[in-house]
Amino acid sequence: MSAGPGLVYDGPVQAGDWVVGVAGRLLSELDTAGIIEMYEESLKKARQKDKPLKLKIQKSDKSSAVNVRFPTLPFYILDLSLDESKKAFKVDKVGIDQEAKMKHDEAEAIKLRALEDEKNVVDLQKDDVVITCDGVSLAGLEKDGIKQLFGRVMYAARDRGSPMQLQVLRGGAKDVVPEKVEVPAVEYIKISFKPDKNRRGMRIKNVTIDWDAKAKSEKESQESESAKMLKDLTNLQNGDIVVNIDGTSL
């Protein structure tokens, strides 16, 4: 259970400490295999939930054990070795991997920029509740009903060449005035949802943009507009043969 060199970590866990409990359970209650399995499973769950790992630490000075929370972000280092006779993990090294931290920070910055870019395309966020689409209420509908109605509204909006008009309860809050939100009726916007538990409409789970599909759509739209402008200027088409210009034969 080790992770490479890193910077000094100035926190509640220090090298030489003993981990005697994990996620609220004492390691002394388990056998060796159980200790390892429980630690790895607890660490996995904490990382999936983006939460710190709960540890009970016996300090090296043998003072009373204390409960602490250790960050589970990928750049934190916690090297442990199991002492089977004590049924406890000894903390061999604790620190921060600076290179991994830089990569993590860069990735998070990219995510934030992507979220901002997505918001500029469609102003829907997680946990918003859509209560109407183009004036049609979604109240009381199950998931299939919401999907069918939303699909009909989207195709109608595409046919008329204008965005869908939604009424949205921000964050699904109660007793708030619904906001009007325009959503482009395009294929590159992917919206996942679930029925609102209070049956008010469609609760947003996630909104993503297929940027490649967006670029392709915009290119096709631009080419179509250019072709239309050209057609307004001349009735010549690809493959036509010009045989005379201003009365002069070619």
Side-chain angles (χ1 to χ4, degrees):
M1 299 182 185
S2 73
L7 301 177
V8 174
Y9 163 72
D10 184 18
V13 182
Q14 300 296 328
D17 291 347
W18 291 89
V19 178
V20 297
V22 177
R25 188 167 183 184
L26 293 175
L27 302 186
S28 59
E29 300 173 351
L30 305 170
D31 58 21
T32 299
I35 290 173
I36 296 173
E37 181 180 355
M38 193 266 287
Y39 174 80
E40 291 179 346
E41 185 64 23
S42 298
L43 178 60
K44 179 181 178 181
K45 288 182 179 179
R47 283 178 171 165
Q48 287 174 340
K49 295 179 180 179
D50 196 23
K51 292 184 177 181
L53 181 62
K54 297 178 181 179
L55 303 174
K56 183 177 282 292
I57 298 293
Q58 179 72 59
K59 304 302 287 184
S60 54
D61 61 6
K62 297 184 179 180
S63 57
S64 299
V66 294
N67 294 314
V68 303
R69 296 172 181 264
F70 190 83
T72 55
L73 292 170
F75 53 83
Y76 281 94
I77 299 169
L78 182 62
D79 290 356
L80 306 174
S81 56
L82 179 61
D83 186 318
E84 296 185 28
S85 62
K86 289 187 176 183
K87 288 194 173 183
F89 288 114
K90 184 178 181 181
V91 179
D92 297 321
K93 181 188 292 185
V94 60
I96 298 173
D97 186 322
Q98 180 66 11
E99 183 177 349
K101 185 177 186 302
M102 289 176 62
K103 290 180 179 179
H104 176 269
D105 291 347
E106 289 173 0
E108 288 299 304
I110 290 171
K111 285 182 183 179
L112 288 174
R113 288 196 296 270
L115 287 173
E116 190 62 31
D117 289 342
E118 289 174 359
K119 185 178 178 181
N120 291 334
V121 176
V122 53
D123 190 14
L124 286 177
Q125 303 169 34
K126 182 180 178 183
D127 288 330
D128 285 349
V129 174
V130 179
I131 58 175
T132 70
C133 297
D134 281 358
V136 182
S137 175
L138 299 176
L141 296 179
E142 300 296 336
K143 186 168 185 177
D144 286 344
I146 293 173
K147 186 176 181 180
Q148 291 174 9
L149 176 57
F150 193 80
R152 288 200 301 270
V153 170
M154 180 179 65
Y155 285 117
R158 286 181 187 173
D159 288 342
R160 67 174 183 263
S162 62
M164 296 182 288
Q165 305 292 325
L166 311 182
Q167 283 195 312
V168 177
L169 301 174
R170 290 298 187 188
K174 298 178 180 178
D175 302 323
V176 296
V177 177
E179 290 187 21
K180 294 181 180 180
V181 176
E182 291 190 347
V183 175
V186 291
E187 293 183 358
Y188 56 76
I189 296 176
K190 311 296 183 183
I191 300 175
S192 60
F193 70 93
K194 62 183 178 181
D196 176 56
K197 66 180 181 179
N198 295 318
R199 299 177 64 82
R200 295 173 297 175
M202 179 174 81
R203 181 175 287 270
I204 302 299
K205 292 171 61 178
N206 191 32
V207 178
T208 57
I209 307 297
D210 185 333
W211 295 105
D212 290 338
K214 182 177 183 295
K216 182 179 178 181
S217 175
E218 290 174 345
K219 181 180 178 182
E220 290 174 349
S221 177
Q222 186 177 21
E223 289 175 347
S224 176
E225 186 64 26
S226 297
K228 184 173 182 265
M229 290 175 63
L230 184 60
K231 186 177 180 180
D232 291 339
L233 294 172
T234 176
N235 59 1
L236 287 175
Q237 302 177 24
N238 289 336
D240 288 350
I241 298 175
V242 178
V243 297
N244 189 293
I245 297 178
D246 288 340
T248 303
S249 176
L250 301 178

